[in-house]
Amino acid sequence: MKVYFVGNGYDGCYYVRCLQPLIHNGWDGTKTSLASQRATPEQMFQGAMNADVVVFQRPSDEMRVQVVDLLKQAGKIVVFDNDDTYKPNSGVPYQMAHAEYIEKIDKNLMDFVKKADLVTTTTEFLAEEYREHNKNVYVLPNCIDPDDWDEPLKNETDKVRIGLVGSVTLNGDYDIIVPLLKQLSERKDVQLVVFGLPPKGDAFKVMQESHKKEIEFWNSLNIDWQPLVGMNDYFETLNELRLDIMLIPRAENYFNKCKSNLKFLEAAMLEIPVIASSFSDGNSPYDKDIDGTNGLLCKTLDDWQVAIDTLVNNKEIRQEMGKNAKEYVLKNYDIKSHANNWKKLYESYFNKK
């Protein structure tokens, strides 16, 4: 059985959802390593036509929707994969402010879901969205590949380095702990680190305009600003930040209930203890994994204050929690133990042909 993965320009998503199962099952795709060039349209066509199973990761444009019928006529099994919702009313400020654009993407995604032979995604919560349009929906959780992570680098300064990484810096999620962020910014024993902002200057001018409010907020604080980097440099850059604690605040909205626990997995690989949001219905991305020994969950601002003070003031607890998190993630989310789940699922459809 030959499998070909078609990405959509999101290298971070492609790495987790395509590249990991691709490498560990000996398959092919539009990229075959983090450093490789993306396939040309001609190479992509040839790769798809040579495959038995063609997996599309976040196929959000009309052209990919139109290709499904051609591939199925050619006898290919077509798989839809995605790890985020694109519902316009999901609760994300950027998406709600660009509703017409998001509605178009969502329509394309749902049109593809209806045509696909099977659908894969990251969580049961997001799977329910797709089951409205396709009965063959399966959850394949995100994993980590230990081979991609170096030994954790440790902070040797006299300040506790507290980081916020990724979408929480730009999606408005940090709003739920703004008073604490302002306090932390003023503390002499703490250094706030923000990794996920566009570089200062013209490189990401569109992003700077669309997230002007968020960038102005972070500029008002005393932070160590780490600009976005390519996926090929992400693991090393995150490690070099030498974080002692990672904060993952999430607003309780539909979008965040669809998200996975990926940031917890990444922090764990570097033995960084996480403080993350818990939701009232138990459907935050972290509710099912974090248990107090491998991280801390918070529902109220007071919870966040207590959790932050606990970890800032106790290095031994931080270190033990980080080690517990890594042990937990390696036991439950190592791609080497789970890559066969992709293979078994695809084979179950391939063998029906």
Side-chain angles (χ1 to χ4, degrees), residues 320-334:
E320 181 179 4
M321 197 169 285
K323 291 182 184 299
N324 289 344
K326 186 172 185 178
E327 181 179 339
Y328 173 84
V329 167
L330 287 173
K331 179 179 178 181
N332 293 281
Y333 292 99
D334 188 340

Side-chain angles (χ1 to χ4, degrees), residues 10 16 23-24 26 34 39 42 48 66 73 106-107 119-120 126 131 140 176 202 284-285 287 295 308 322 334 341:
Y10 302 94
V16 180
I23 289 172
H24 290 278
L34 282 175
E42 293 79 12
Q66 294 168 1
Q73 288 171 14
D106 187 57
K107 181 181 183 304
V119 173
T120 57
L126 185 53
R131 288 188 180 118
L140 294 170
I176 66 175
D202 295 331
S284 94
D287 275 318
I308 290 171
D334 188 340
N341 293 337

Side-chain angles (χ1 to χ4, degrees), residues 178 181-183 185-186 192 194 216-224:
V178 161
L181 293 173
K182 291 180 178 179
Q183 291 177 22
S185 172
E186 296 171 358
L192 273 180
V194 178
E216 286 180 351
F217 169 73
W218 292 118
N219 269 328
S220 72
L221 303 182
N222 172 29
I223 64 168
D224 183 347

Side-chain angles (χ1 to χ4, degrees), residues 142-153:
N142 284 336
C143 293
I144 50 86
D145 188 338
D147 293 342
D148 291 330
W149 296 89
D150 293 331
E151 281 297 310
L153 299 175

